[in-house]
Amino acid sequence: MKVREKRHGLVLVHTGEGKGKSSSAFGMVFRAAGWGMKVCVIQFIKGQWQTGEQKAAARFAEIEWHALGDGFTWDTKNPEQDIKTSREIWEFAKQKILSEQFDLVILDEINYCCGYGWISGQEIADFIRQHKPGWLHLVLTGRNAAPEVVEIADTVTEMTRVKHAFQAGIKAEQGVEF
């Protein structure tokens, strides 16, 4: 494994309307853990239900997983609580990044928080620019990535939906969607 001092820590953004933003990031989680890198996953939206990725991550000492969100927020009944929770998770995420314990940090679905106006893209971009360790890889997922975050990222991928099973009435399937 490349030592931290020789690593160029990348900022990656996975955004767009298509499926695969989090799944791609989670593939990176397992790739990094396979190389013995320390990984932290912080989920901004997902609630406390178990996912296959989280169950698999529990098998790796290198992966620390935090599902801290209140659940799917586009049906929110309490926007004030969603804002409060998102701000608390953002503060937690900043502390994990600043701890320098990790080689890769995933901020899963943080882009939604920007899209809803709960955390500003400028605030996130400023923090990354000013405080992210130079060797740390950072991945931000979710629709509606803020332009300021896109601008500072090294790699931005926009997932495009061509067709999705949900459009045909097929609900989320275990092992594929969660």
Side-chain angles (χ1 to χ4, degrees):
M1 178 175 56
K2 195 183 244 188
V3 294
R4 285 180 168 181
E5 296 75 28
K6 294 186 178 189
R7 184 184 315 145
H8 180 86
L10 299 174
V11 176
L12 299 96
V13 174
H14 300 169
T15 194
E17 299 292 316
K19 179 178 170 19
K21 296 173 287 292
S22 295
S23 298
S24 177
F26 297 155
M28 293 174 63
V29 165
F30 293 105
R31 179 181 299 132
W35 284 106
M37 298 170 84
K38 291 288 291 173
V39 179
C40 184
V41 175
I42 302 169
Q43 295 186 288
F44 279 75
I45 304 294
K46 296 280 184 347
Q48 297 303 311
W49 64 88
Q50 287 287 309
T51 63
E53 299 95 342
Q54 188 174 6
K55 291 172 80 62
R59 298 177 185 194
F60 289 81
E62 297 85 2
I63 302 172
E64 187 176 302
W65 196 288
H66 302 277
L68 301 173
D70 291 330
F72 292 106
T73 55
W74 44 86
D75 271 341
T76 190
K77 305 292 185 260
N78 189 346
E80 294 80 21
Q81 178 61 42
D82 293 335
I83 293 167
K84 180 180 182 290
T85 299
S86 296
R87 297 295 316 171
E88 289 170 354
I89 298 169
W90 174 230
E91 291 304 316
F92 177 81
K94 291 192 295 187
Q95 292 308 310
K96 289 296 183 177
I97 291 166
L98 291 171
S99 76
E100 298 192 3
Q101 294 177 43
F102 303 98
D103 300 293
L104 170 66
V105 174
I106 308 293
L107 302 179
D108 186 40
E109 299 181 330
I110 191 172
N111 295 338
Y112 287 105
C113 298
C114 291
Y116 293 135
W118 301 339
I119 305 171
S120 81
Q122 189 63 57
E123 179 182 356
I124 294 169
D126 288 346
F127 176 81
I128 293 169
R129 190 180 297 109
Q130 296 167 15
H131 300 290
K132 182 189 81 64
W135 43 261
L136 175 76
H137 299 307
L138 182 64
V139 182
L140 300 90
T141 74
R143 295 179 185 189
N144 304 315
E148 301 90 347
V149 174
V150 168
E151 181 182 321
I152 63 145
D154 298 293
T155 301
V156 178
T157 301
E158 185 169 346
M159 310 295 187
T160 303
R161 180 185 52 189
V162 175
K163 185 177 181 180
H164 195 292
F166 186 77
Q167 295 168 305
I170 301 169
K171 295 191 177 181
E173 288 289 328
Q174 186 176 17
V176 175
E177 304 284 340
F178 62 94

